[in-house]
Amino acid sequence: MTGQKIDGLEVAKSVKERIRMAVSELKSDGVQPCLATVLVGENPSSQTYVNNKQKACADVGITTKDHKLDDSFSQEEMNSLINSLNKDDTVHGILVQLPLPSQLDEFATTSIISPLKDVDCLTPSNIGLLSTGRAVLKPCTPSGIMELFDYYNIDLQGKDVIIINRSNLVGKPLYHLLVKENATVTICHSKTKNLKEHCQRADVIITAIGNREKFVLTEDMIKDGAVVIDVGIGRQEGKLVGDVDYENVIKKASYVSPVPGGVGPMTVAMLLKNTVTVASFSKGIGPKT
Ligand code: GUN
């Protein structure tokens, strides 16, 4: 039996339809939703991600303010930029693309973003709300994955889920969202012993390594009917590839998300959703999506 492809493009399209309507409602209330993007340096992947995010904003009627900064941008300059964006009433959301060059401290930078403009859910107060199950703003990639489970009616209650990633952007926040749905969650990482055995036991595997020389999830590593979500992004012979040997894994799994066309479009869709949510704060009106 062959499993089903999880079509992130299709799900993202339906989310974007809802966002387009929410944006036009906000506009009729006199609010033009606006996202400020901050990109430091010339990292080609980050440039592509930020361009895609800006295009997606334009597509649903959200304006963007673009801040492209030199590789040598200092922490002091960054603090002053964030402070001015925090004060700017025409800017509702602030996105600082990660990773940052080594002279900039990621935590020092993201933690001074106003929690009310924190579309990535990286500020201490929003992380705290997330970890206690009270988040209004949820981080984009993890909430995009949860939206995929919801769309395909994949029940998580009591399921053994493993996350192969422990980053602040993916693994740690995803842990909280999954536990809230009553899953039994294990975080695996580079020091985990017997990774293959963890994978073979899991009902759901979410992998976000992004380096096929280090890790590829193959069909011998999963159990029959497992759900596999691929968050890895790498390049092989100029092509975008994930962590999963998709062609073979889908023959044994119940669902697999591909790369490209799986989680990636959902990350962008959730950024749009969070931008609409923060824009609705400015009118004292509740979230619109
Ligand atoms: N770099 C890779 N993914 C992300 C993301 O979701 N948000 C930010 N700010 N940077 C990233």
Side-chain angles (χ1 to χ4, degrees), residues 49-152:
Y49 294 142
V50 170
N51 283 342
N52 289 345
K53 290 170 183 178
Q54 290 173 339
K55 273 194 210 140
C57 282
D59 188 37
V60 297
I62 295 171
T63 55
T64 50
K65 287 196 181 165
D66 186 25
H67 298 268
K68 288 209 172 73
L69 306 153
D70 195 80
D71 226 353
S72 61
F73 201 60
S74 71
Q75 188 68 56
E76 213 170 293
E77 289 171 307
M78 178 62 97
N79 295 351
S80 132
L81 173 61
I82 305 272
N83 285 332
S84 80
L85 293 173
N86 281 343
K87 285 189 206 129
D88 185 341
D89 288 339
T90 66
V91 168
H92 303 107
I94 302 171
L95 174 128
V96 178
Q97 186 66 27
L98 303 176
L100 293 169
S102 57
Q103 78 278 11
L104 295 170
D105 183 308
E106 282 184 6
F107 181 72
T109 302
T110 53
S111 65
I112 59 166
I113 294 173
S114 161
L116 297 174
K117 298 190 177 190
D118 177 22
V119 288
D120 267 320
C121 191
L122 288 170
T123 57
S125 56
N126 282 330
I127 295 167
L129 288 170
L130 181 80
S131 69
T132 54
R134 294 171 177 83
V136 175
L137 294 166
K138 295 174 190 163
C140 304
T141 298
S143 61
I145 294 169
M146 298 306 288
E147 196 82 21
L148 291 174
F149 289 135
D150 188 50
Y151 188 90
Y152 285 91

Side-chain angles (χ1 to χ4, degrees), residues 139-286:
C140 304
T141 298
S143 61
I145 294 169
M146 298 306 288
E147 196 82 21
L148 291 174
F149 289 135
D150 188 50
Y151 188 90
Y152 285 91
N153 291 315
I154 296 169
D155 183 24
L156 295 162
Q157 178 146 312
K159 297 286 165 61
D160 279 317
V161 182
I162 74 157
I163 306 169
I164 312 173
N165 180 287
R166 58 173 156 179
S167 70
N168 294 330
L169 277 169
V170 180
K172 287 180 202 153
L174 191 50
Y175 169 85
H176 294 296
L177 296 176
L178 290 162
V179 167
K180 193 156 191 252
E181 296 304 316
N182 300 316
T184 303
V185 188
T186 305
I187 293 216
C188 297
H189 46 75
S190 54
K191 302 287 185 290
T192 297
K193 291 183 199 144
N194 308 325
L195 178 59
K196 186 171 176 176
E197 283 158 34
H198 281 287
C199 292
Q200 284 169 335
R201 244 195 340 261
D203 300 306
V204 179
I205 302 172
I206 303 165
T207 175
I209 299 297
N211 182 343
R212 282 177 85 100
E213 280 165 25
K214 286 197 177 134
F215 179 74
V216 178
L217 187 83
T218 48
E219 92 273 18
D220 58 309
M221 297 169 77
I222 71 161
K223 74 174 178 190
D224 281 332
V227 175
V228 177
I229 305 291
D230 193 349
V231 196
I233 296 196
R235 283 202 174 268
Q236 226 170 30
E237 292 155 19
K239 270 179 33 188
L240 216 55
V241 289
D243 293 348
V244 176
D245 175 10
Y246 182 86
E247 302 305 328
N248 292 311
V249 164
I250 198 150
K251 291 179 194 154
K252 197 170 174 190
S254 55
Y255 291 93
V256 186
S257 76
V259 172
V263 173
M266 293 306 296
T267 297
V268 178
M270 293 298 113
L271 173 67
L272 304 177
K273 181 177 175 184
N274 281 349
T275 305
V276 166
T277 300
V278 288
S280 67
F281 295 157
S282 72
K283 271 284 201 182
I285 43 186

